[in-house]
Amino acid sequence: MTILNGLSLVVNPGESLAILGASGCGKSTLLGLLAGLDSASAGEIELDGQRIDNLDEDQRARVRRGAVGFVFQNFQLLPALTALENVMLPLELANEPRAREEALLLLERVGLGQRDDHYPRHLSGGEQQRVAIARAFASRPRVLFADEPTGNLDPATGERVIELLFELNAEQGTTLILVTHDSHLARRCQRRLELREGTLRPLT
Ligand SMILES: Nc1ncnc2c1ncn2[C@@H]1O[C@H](COP(=O)(O)OP(=O)(O)O)[C@@H](O)[C@H]1O
Ligand SMILES: [Mg+2]
């Protein structure tokens, strides 16, 4: 089955882009392809200035490591690690000596400073989502992909996460590529595109 077809997209450094579309139309599939998590059957993809569609999984992982943060729709936290350890992991992999301090600061920024020693199964969906966001920020990615990052949050917490995303965008020039149903979040982005029938069209 073909999910995406005839799709062309260029996202500039520092840009913020919202991708909208009905459930099942392929938004998560598209995000996974752009981030180098999956590979397509045809087409060219360039990430952070590098062709990735002709790379194998290990090579794509290497490109991602330097460039990409990803907030999964289902969070994908490691169940055997605490919230703090989940956020520390990318910092430790990057040999960051202050991994613990940085991870704690990030958890505080998403409002979870008091939950650092909790395991994912003891956190609500919204709390897990915020840990996933803190983890994605930890590696200071040049491109942050987030799949419905406010989907499980109450309006106040959602607002806080939106502020955090755009702080990162402003402070570090992080490119934001967001899949969202949240009209407030979509409006904050410079550009809105709708995925329909396999392709992207501008939304006003
Ligand atoms: N791993 C998979 N194997 C087979 N089909 C899949 C898989 N993941 C998603 N799909 C299908 O691909 C389509 C697009 O899914 P998805 O990208 O998750 O949509 P969205 O994120 O827009 O809701 C759907 O029809 C879905 O059922
Ligand atoms: Mg999805």
Side-chain angles (χ1 to χ4, degrees):
M1 188 172 127
T2 302
I3 307 284
L4 305 171
N5 192 21
L7 187 152
S8 170
L9 170 68
V10 176
V11 185
N12 292 312
E15 206 184 342
S16 53
L17 169 70
I19 298 170
L20 296 91
S23 179
C25 73
K27 302 181 298 298
S28 296
T29 304
L30 175 61
L31 218 57
L33 290 172
L34 296 176
L37 293 165
D38 299 315
S39 62
S41 45
E44 280 184 26
I45 302 174
E46 212 175 276
L47 172 64
D48 196 34
Q50 268 194 75
R51 275 284 292 277
I52 58 164
D53 54 275
N54 49 6
L55 302 182
D56 66 28
E57 203 159 327
D58 288 346
Q59 293 169 321
R60 289 203 309 272
R62 225 164 295 140
V63 177
R64 279 203 310 273
R65 201 168 304 145
V68 167
F70 203 99
V71 182
F72 293 91
Q73 193 165 13
N74 57 357
F75 325 129
Q76 297 203 14
L77 300 175
L78 295 173
L81 301 185
T82 65
L84 181 63
E85 289 163 349
N86 266 282
V87 180
M88 279 171 67
L89 192 62
L91 294 163
E92 287 178 325
L93 290 174
N95 292 314
E96 166 60 54
R98 298 182 65 253
R100 176 171 293 269
E101 291 87 341
E102 298 246 334
L104 263 175
L105 274 175
L106 281 163
L107 281 176
E108 276 162 22
R109 282 182 84 174
V110 295
L112 287 178
Q114 309 302 313
R115 292 263 193 283
D116 60 307
D117 58 349
H118 284 52
Y119 288 91
R121 66 179 178 281
H122 295 140
L123 296 171
S124 71
E127 288 169 337
Q128 290 182 46
Q129 186 157 44
R130 284 184 280 161
V131 176
I133 289 165
R135 178 180 62 179
F137 282 10
S139 55
R140 296 175 182 259
R142 286 187 288 282
V143 191
L144 183 81
F145 295 91
D147 202 344
E148 305 195 16
T150 58
N152 291 270
L153 306 179
D154 61 81
T157 312
E159 192 53 43
R160 194 158 163 182
V161 162
I162 293 172
E163 290 311 320
L164 195 59
L165 287 169
F166 285 91
E167 269 169 40
L168 195 74
N169 174 250
E171 282 169 18
Q172 296 177 27
T174 310
T175 308
L176 299 179
I177 302 181
L178 313 174
V179 164
T180 187
H181 291 294
D182 180 339
S183 60
H184 187 198
L185 175 53
R187 274 200 304 275
R188 286 288 301 268
C189 292
Q190 287 168 335
R191 204 151 53 112
R192 282 158 293 282
L193 297 172
E194 184 187 14
L195 183 60
R196 190 149 47 93
E197 292 159 6
T199 195
L200 288 167
R201 312 151 201 265
L203 256 185
T204 47

